[in-house]
Amino acid sequence: MRSLSEIETAVKRASRAVGYSWGNSEEVGKSIRQLELFGFQGIKNLNKYYEDKSTKKFEDLNLISEINETLSDAYCPIILGISFLDQIKSVENFKIIKFKKIAYPVIFFSFLSRASEIIGKKILVVLDKYEFLLNFNTNISTNSLKKKFPSKAKIVKIFFLDNKDNFTNYDWKNLYKLSENTFVEESDSLKEGAAGAGLNDND
């Protein structure tokens, strides 16, 4: 089994070989490493994308707006992902971001996962009929882990989720009340011991 560092290094070098700058190649290496860690086919999709890149026209989207639509075959998932990371502090203010036609969207997801960690919010991604919940770059929850990812996403919608507890205030109070049973009341002997602590001469 290949190590994650080996994967990251090979991806970085391969990305540089197909024309990306060393800086962008490093970002791709980090992202594909995360995909493989989470159980997604990062290397397989990246290989296919690099094969298609030599014959198809993919657009580089540098400035992200609420609605993004390309006239070319699809958006490049790498430049789109890097742009998303660079602009995350501003685009998180959008209620929803829509993209039409993204090539090999699973590659783009890896950048979104890292963006989730940067802003400290979960990101919900709806790709056609599938949903993905990106959790602070620690994991990706989805209903399509074993499904074959498309080579092109028709429509991708991105939602930034507000941080909320998964439990009610009633549940929390019950749990906290139970936890109070571990609290120990200070006895007189404990108070005396604490007051004199460190004052004894042991010489």
Side-chain angles (χ1 to χ4, degrees):
M1 182 176 178
R2 304 295 181 187
S3 68
L4 291 175
S5 59
E6 187 178 5
I7 289 171
E8 183 175 347
T9 299
V11 169
K12 180 171 67 174
R13 291 176 176 173
S15 300
R16 182 68 185 98
V18 300
Y20 291 102
S21 68
W22 276 117
N24 286 350
S25 298
E26 186 173 349
E27 295 299 326
V28 181
K30 292 176 183 177
S31 294
I32 298 301
R33 172 188 176 127
Q34 286 300 92
L35 284 178
E36 293 294 334
L37 176 63
F38 295 158
F40 292 92
Q41 295 180 326
I43 288 182
K44 182 176 182 178
N45 279 272
L46 187 68
N47 269 325
K48 288 184 176 180
Y49 174 65
Y50 284 164
E51 289 175 10
D52 284 355
K53 189 174 181 293
S54 61
T55 59
K56 295 182 180 179
K57 182 182 179 182
F58 297 119
E59 182 179 339
D60 294 342
L61 180 61
N62 295 304
L63 184 60
I64 297 172
S65 58
E66 289 180 276
I67 300 176
N68 308 272
E69 185 173 1
T70 178
L71 297 176
S72 65
D73 288 330
Y75 285 120
C76 165
I78 292 173
I79 299 303
L80 179 58
I82 292 172
S83 297
F84 199 92
L85 280 177
D86 289 343
Q87 299 167 50
I88 186 57
K89 291 296 185 180
S90 58
V91 299
E92 71 167 310
N93 294 319
F94 297 147
K95 291 183 178 180
I96 178 175
I97 304 176
K98 296 181 181 179
F99 297 97
K100 291 186 178 181
K101 296 190 297 185
I102 299 177
Y104 295 90
V106 68
I107 299 173
F108 177 49
F109 286 1
S110 58
F111 291 94
L112 294 180
S113 179
R114 293 167 60 196
S116 173
E117 180 182 24
I118 292 172
I119 61 174
K121 291 181 180 179
K122 294 180 180 180
I123 297 177
L124 175 64
V125 183
V126 179
L127 186 162
D128 299 332
K129 60 181 178 179
Y130 301 118
E131 293 186 356
F132 302 82
L133 184 62
L134 314 181
N135 299 286
F136 315 113
N137 206 28
T138 58
N139 65 69
I140 299 177
S141 302
T142 178
N143 60 351
S144 61
L145 182 60
K146 295 184 179 180
K147 302 287 184 181
K148 182 179 179 181
F149 269 84
S151 59
K152 184 194 296 183
K154 294 179 181 177
I155 298 178
V156 175
K157 298 178 182 178
I158 296 173
F159 303 84
F160 300 99
L161 305 183
D162 292 330
N163 294 322
K164 294 180 180 179
D165 294 326
N166 290 322
F167 48 83
T168 65
N169 192 46
Y170 174 80
D171 289 331
W172 173 253
K173 286 182 177 180
N174 280 348
L175 182 68
Y176 193 82
K177 185 176 182 180
L178 183 62
S179 74
E180 290 179 335
N181 293 332
T182 63
F183 296 169
V184 179
E185 257 187 67
E186 271 193 318
S187 63
D188 290 338
S189 60
L190 283 174
K191 291 177 181 177
E192 289 174 6
L199 300 179
N200 293 331
D201 190 353
N202 294 324
D203 294 338

